[in-house]
Amino acid sequence: LINPGVQPLAELLDNYNFSSYSLRDMVLEGNKLFINARRDYYYQRDNDLSWEEISDQLMIFDLSKLSLNRVFESPIGTYYVQLMGVYGDNLFLNLPGDGILMLDVSNPAQPIGLQFMRTLGWSTHMEFAGDNAYVAAGHFGIFQMNLKTNPKL
């Protein structure tokens, strides 16, 4: 409801159409919005898609101009990925049952895989301290990932 002469409490600055996607999760860090999405069932059914196209999709948006400017979108190549968080210029993805993938997102238009750590189980939480990340992995305990070691992919 808009009242003439009264300053609105909120204003829609931009929108983005996710009509053929099911959004799985998202992480916001500064002016970057990271979204994990998957094509919905009906889109998959009605289109002849490769297995990669129906896998989870990583989308990165630049929010610096108060708009949803998509700068990257690509299939991840697996399912049920969970975005665990961002630390510095790195995005961390949980590949369920496999481990944690660290991506360099300093250039959000071209994320680069830097390091992978096998964790077993389904990692649920991640915390950062200095140059280390700590990952809770259910019955398999806590794993420590050194963020400054040479890339291991």
Side-chain angles (χ1 to χ4, degrees), residues 1-148:
L1 201 75
I2 299 176
N3 295 326
V6 176
Q7 183 71 16
L9 297 176
E11 179 181 355
L12 177 63
L13 299 175
D14 199 7
N15 66 350
Y16 188 85
N17 186 348
F18 293 100
S19 65
S20 65
Y21 288 98
S22 171
L23 302 184
R24 312 286 296 165
D25 52 29
M26 67 181 187
V27 173
L28 176 65
E29 180 66 28
N31 288 325
K32 298 175 191 169
L33 175 64
F34 304 92
I35 293 180
N36 175 27
R38 186 178 308 149
R39 292 289 187 179
D40 66 26
Y41 168 77
Y42 299 102
Y43 187 87
Q44 292 178 38
R45 182 193 66 192
D46 296 340
N47 295 277
D48 186 26
L49 303 176
S50 70
W51 71 269
E52 286 179 328
E53 293 172 305
I54 61 172
S55 74
D56 287 0
Q57 306 270 323
L58 176 61
M59 298 178 189
I60 304 175
F61 292 84
D62 176 3
L63 307 177
S64 63
K65 295 180 181 165
L66 299 178
S67 65
L68 291 166
N69 177 27
R70 190 186 74 205
V71 295
F72 180 82
E73 179 180 356
S74 181
I76 297 172
T78 190
Y79 303 95
Y80 304 106
V81 169
Q82 179 186 6
L83 302 180
M84 298 292 286
V86 176
Y87 188 71
D89 285 328
N90 300 314
L91 173 66
F92 295 85
L93 287 79
N94 175 23
L95 308 179
D98 291 323
I100 302 296
L101 176 62
M102 181 172 81
L103 300 176
D104 177 353
V105 291
S106 57
N107 177 357
Q110 294 181 324
I112 299 170
L114 289 182
Q115 191 176 155
F116 176 79
M117 180 180 68
R118 182 125 173 92
T119 60
L120 306 170
W122 188 292
S123 302
T124 58
H125 295 82
M126 187 170 207
E127 293 294 333
F128 303 95
D131 293 337
N132 294 293
Y134 298 91
V135 181
H139 295 291
F140 295 98
I142 297 174
F143 289 81
Q144 178 184 358
M145 180 183 217
N146 186 319
L147 306 177
K148 293 295 182 185

